[in-house]
């Protein structure tokens, strides 16, 4: 059988996208589609891995054993999400080692939000409530993404993220109902995490380098600004319910739009942190590199043992 | 119930909490992602075990102390964990060799405790023994891989074993609490436990090319609240929020 000509492949790919069906690993896909997906999925995986660090910063100081257990379970889930996502990206022909090298050598990005420090216990609540809340808005949309393995990973991840978001909100609720010091801790965490969370959705649609192409390929199903609006609308009401104030004087309900209006993000800060000049960029990458370098002898030993084991088994069989 | 009964259960809780606290420090810093997950998972099992044991100890004591009062509001001299649990993690080899020595201990201890005359403790043990068996399989596999792996991994694990071996004596040295609980049918005989532990551990160490150190240095005192200098810092970190903002709900 003759290999189909590339234009037939392209036509088939376009038809699958148009019909809202899934592209699967063995299907032909444009090289740019593949590269775009590897970039997005691996960036997402790296975010899960680096995201262990700010929350891990509080596991040893969690204020009750119940909270410690929940936080450990949550951070363990995040690492598990990293695994599914690396696996999804590997189906596109890029190995986990290559992706990890890209991260450690600074070629790949991870979510900028993790370049902010966790300064109090309330930050653990704020990360669950706001950061995971924002991630869910984005990820629910990605459950309909055009690449099959990514969409399926998202379905599974969304279920766990909604548990994370609830535990974060519950921490904030408990603090907001607590002593004046606890209330201040909760408000301070909201003040510091609000704007960086809104930045998680990326630049305005008009300024987004990847949005238009990604929307055409149905990798992205909703734009940055649409998703950000959805997050603001749901979170304003959650904050009000527990008596916390969102740090935005321009926030108000717009009857005509049926949405909340909100102030402008500090895009200079966005660019600065994205460009490596956030408060924790260096320490996060140093921690990841150190874990990788300190673990090199462990990985080498594991391989050496496996080889010896196989040789011995082969020797015994011979 | 006696003070000894309370102390016995409390000390089991202390071992679980302090070791779980140490393991949780690896979160995000392990040699690869699967190990981050495994470390968090093991730490989670240990914290869960500590919670059950502390709740039970609190009820035995009958003074209204719950799991958090026992974990967060006692001072160093009141903790009765083995010294080995509180030692800093060192490298991955040190963490895993320690884990292996303690996992095998816990597997045999909790298997025996399923027969305890303390029904609640026996029920806790029935859950703990399953986890401990799994933990020991995992850490035992690692001891084999690292002992057998490369010259470097063997040397690191041997150094860890040389450091840790002197801390194993107190795992098997009964004090008045252990003797009273043995007599009451609550706790098992530590001499029998030692025989079982040695049978497993010595075989695995030999298979992994590791040698039990010849010197007779021993450190003990953990169960009497005489700890290493590391313990105070571990508790300072663990207890900080509760101590800084007393009497709050979290």
């Amino acid at each position: 059988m003759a290999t189909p000509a590339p234009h037939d492949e392209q036509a088939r790919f376009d038809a699958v996208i148009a019909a809202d069906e899934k592209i699967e690993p063995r299907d032909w896909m444009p090289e740019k589609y593949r590269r775009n997906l590897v970039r997005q999925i691996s960036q997402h995986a790296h975010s899960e891995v680096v995201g262990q660090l700010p929350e891990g910063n509080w596991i040893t100081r969690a204020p009750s054993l119940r909270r410690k257990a929940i936080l450990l379970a949550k951070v363990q889930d995040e690492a598990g999400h990293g695994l599914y996502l690396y696996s999804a990206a590997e189906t596109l022909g890029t190995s986990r080692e290559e992706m990890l090298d890209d991260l450690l050598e600074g070629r790949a990005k991870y979510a900028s939000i993790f370049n902010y420090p966790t300064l109090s216990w309330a930050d653990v609540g704020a990360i669950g409530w706001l950061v995971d809340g924002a991630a869910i808005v984005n990820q629910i949309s990605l459950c309909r993404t055009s690449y099959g393995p990514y969409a399926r990973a998202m379905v599974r991840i969304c279920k766990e993220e909604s548990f994370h978001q609830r535990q974060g909100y519950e921490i904030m609720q408990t603090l907001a109902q607590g002593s004046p010091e606890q209330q201040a801790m909760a408000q301070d965490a909201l003040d510091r995490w609000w704007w960086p969370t809104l930045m998680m959705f990326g630049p305005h649609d008009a300024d987004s380098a990847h949005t238009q192409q990604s929307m055409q390929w149905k990798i992205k199903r909703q734009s940055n600004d649409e998703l950000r609006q959805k997050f603001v609308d749901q979170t304003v009401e959650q904050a009000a319910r527990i008596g916390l104030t969102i740090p935005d004087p321009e926030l108000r309900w717009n009857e005509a739009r049926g949405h909340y209006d909100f102030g402008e993000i500090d895009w200079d800060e966005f660019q600065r942190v994205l460009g490596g000049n956030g408060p924790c960029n260096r320490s996060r990458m140093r921690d990841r590199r150190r874990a990788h370098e300190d673990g090199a002898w462990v990985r080498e030993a594991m391989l050496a043992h496996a080889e010896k084991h196989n040789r011995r088994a082969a020797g015994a069989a011979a | 119930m006696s003070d000894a009964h309370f102390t016995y259960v409390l000390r089991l809780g202390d071992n679980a909490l302090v070791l779980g606290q140490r393991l949780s420090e690896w979160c995000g810093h392990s040699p690869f992602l699967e190990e981050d997950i495994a470390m968090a998972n093991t730490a989670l099992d240990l914290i869960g075990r500590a919670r059950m044991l502390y709740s039970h100890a609190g009820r035995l004591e009958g003074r209204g102390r719950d799991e958090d009062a026992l974990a967060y509001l006692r001072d160093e001299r009141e903790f009765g964990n083995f010294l080995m649990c509180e030692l800093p993690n060192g490298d991955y080899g040190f963490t895993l060799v320690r884990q292996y020595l303690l996992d095998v201990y816990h597997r045999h201890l909790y298997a025996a405790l399923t027969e305890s005359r303390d029904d609640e403790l026996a029920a806790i043990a029935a859950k703990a023994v399953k986890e401990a068996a799994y933990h020991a399989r995992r850490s035992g596999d690692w001891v084999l891989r690292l002992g057998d792996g490369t010259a470097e991994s063997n040397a690191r694990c041997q150094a860890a074993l040389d450091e840790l071996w002197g801390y194993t004596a107190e795992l098997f040295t009964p004090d008045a609490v252990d003797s009273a609980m043995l007599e009451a049918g609550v706790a098992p005989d530590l001499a029998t436990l030692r025989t079982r532990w040695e049978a497993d551990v010595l075989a695995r160490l030999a298979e992994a090319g590791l040698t039990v150190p010849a010197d007779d240095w021993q450190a003990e005192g953990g169960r009497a609240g005489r700890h290493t200098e590391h313990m105070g810092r571990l508790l300072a970190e663990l207890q900080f929020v509760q101590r800084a903002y007393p009497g709050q709900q979290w």
Side-chain angles (χ1 to χ4, degrees), chain A residues 59-69, chain B residues 6 9-21 46-58 61 64-81 227 231-243 250:
Chain A
I59 290 176
T60 54
R61 291 178 290 169
S64 71
L65 294 183
R66 174 174 168 265
R67 291 292 183 202
K68 192 189 285 288
Chain B
F6 164 68
V9 177
L10 183 70
R11 297 194 309 203
L12 294 177
D14 291 343
N15 283 326
L17 175 63
V18 172
L19 187 61
Q21 177 79 358
L46 290 170
I47 300 301
R49 186 187 301 170
R51 294 181 68 189
M52 291 188 288
L53 290 163
Y54 282 153
S55 294
H56 180 39
E61 186 191 37
R65 289 203 280 182
D66 64 8
E67 58 180 47
D68 287 332
L70 292 170
Y72 289 88
L73 302 176
R74 283 180 303 140
D75 287 337
E76 182 173 342
R77 296 280 283 112
E78 299 166 83
F79 271 79
N81 54 283
H227 290 278
M231 184 67 176
R233 286 186 180 77
L234 181 144
L235 289 179
E237 186 171 348
L238 188 145
Q239 297 179 339
F240 153 69
V241 178
Q242 285 269 355
R243 301 289 191 144
W250 297 96

Side-chain angles (χ1 to χ4, degrees), chain A residues 52 60-69 75-76 79 96 179 182 288 297 299 301 305 308 312, chain B residues 21 27-28 31 34 36-37 41 44 51 68 72 145 148-149 153 156 237-238 241-242 245 248-250:
Chain A
Q52 292 182 95
T60 54
R61 291 178 290 169
S64 71
L65 294 183
R66 174 174 168 265
R67 291 292 183 202
K68 192 189 285 288
V75 175
Q76 184 191 340
R96 202 204 305 180
S179 69
Q182 287 176 306
R288 287 313 310 159
W297 70 270
R299 298 189 300 274
H305 168 71
K308 285 186 197 175
R312 283 191 289 253
Chain B
Q21 177 79 358
C27 176
E34 283 82 349
D36 278 331
I37 296 173
N41 202 311
L44 186 58
R51 294 181 68 189
D68 287 332
Y72 289 88
R145 281 189 205 117
D148 179 63
S153 68
R156 284 175 181 266
E237 186 171 348
L238 188 145
V241 178
Q242 285 269 355
Y245 308 95
Q248 304 304 324
Q249 296 297 310
W250 297 96

Side-chain angles (χ1 to χ4, degrees), chain B:
Chain B
M1 109 71 211
S2 64
D3 280 357
H5 195 168
F6 164 68
T7 304
Y8 183 78
V9 177
L10 183 70
R11 297 194 309 203
L12 294 177
D14 291 343
N15 283 326
L17 175 63
V18 172
L19 187 61
Q21 177 79 358
R22 281 298 186 213
L23 289 188
S24 72
E25 293 171 14
W26 276 105
C27 176
H29 304 281
S30 303
F32 50 98
L33 192 51
E34 283 82 349
E35 284 303 295
D36 278 331
I37 296 173
M39 276 295 173
N41 202 311
T42 311
L44 186 58
D45 287 343
L46 290 170
I47 300 301
R49 186 187 301 170
R51 294 181 68 189
M52 291 188 288
L53 290 163
Y54 282 153
S55 294
H56 180 39
R59 283 191 293 273
L60 287 171
E61 186 191 37
R63 286 172 44 203
R65 289 203 280 182
D66 64 8
E67 58 180 47
D68 287 332
L70 292 170
Y72 289 88
L73 302 176
R74 283 180 303 140
D75 287 337
E76 182 173 342
R77 296 280 283 112
E78 299 166 83
F79 271 79
N81 54 283
F82 296 128
L83 298 178
M84 207 196 288
C85 302
E86 74 206 39
L87 297 178
N89 285 332
D91 65 15
Y92 215 61
F94 188 92
T95 295
L96 287 167
V97 171
R98 168 178 60 190
Q99 194 61 32
Y100 175 64
L101 298 174
L102 288 168
D103 285 342
V104 175
Y105 181 81
H106 284 131
R107 188 181 69 201
H108 290 303
L109 172 67
Y110 283 106
L113 284 174
T114 60
E115 313 275 311
S116 173
R117 262 188 227 159
D118 174 344
D119 291 340
E120 171 117 27
L121 182 57
I124 295 171
K127 181 171 190 297
V129 70
K130 289 182 200 147
E131 294 166 352
Y134 170 75
H135 297 166
R137 199 161 68 230
R138 177 183 122 75
S139 57
D141 284 350
W142 268 113
V143 165
L144 184 58
R145 281 189 205 117
L146 295 179
D148 179 63
T150 61
E152 179 182 3
S153 68
N154 180 275
R156 284 175 181 266
C157 288
Q158 185 61 54
L161 188 63
D162 292 348
E163 177 67 21
L164 286 161
W165 194 256
Y167 290 96
T168 60
E170 74 170 342
L171 273 56
F172 304 103
T173 312
D175 67 0
V177 170
D178 294 309
S179 303
M181 287 302 99
L182 173 62
E183 201 160 315
V186 171
D189 177 23
L190 290 177
T192 313
L193 197 61
R194 174 170 220 150
T195 310
R196 290 177 185 155
W197 181 83
E198 279 181 350
D200 287 347
V201 166
L202 296 179
R204 176 48 55 102
L205 292 178
E207 193 184 358
L210 298 170
T211 315
V212 172
D215 70 58
D216 55 2
W217 181 80
Q218 287 184 0
E220 42 188 51
R223 281 172 312 152
R226 295 191 309 276
H227 290 278
T228 66
E229 291 180 346
H230 306 294
M231 184 67 176
R233 286 186 180 77
L234 181 144
L235 289 179
E237 186 171 348
L238 188 145
Q239 297 179 339
F240 153 69
V241 178
Q242 285 269 355
R243 301 289 191 144
Y245 308 95
Q248 304 304 324
Q249 296 297 310
W250 297 96

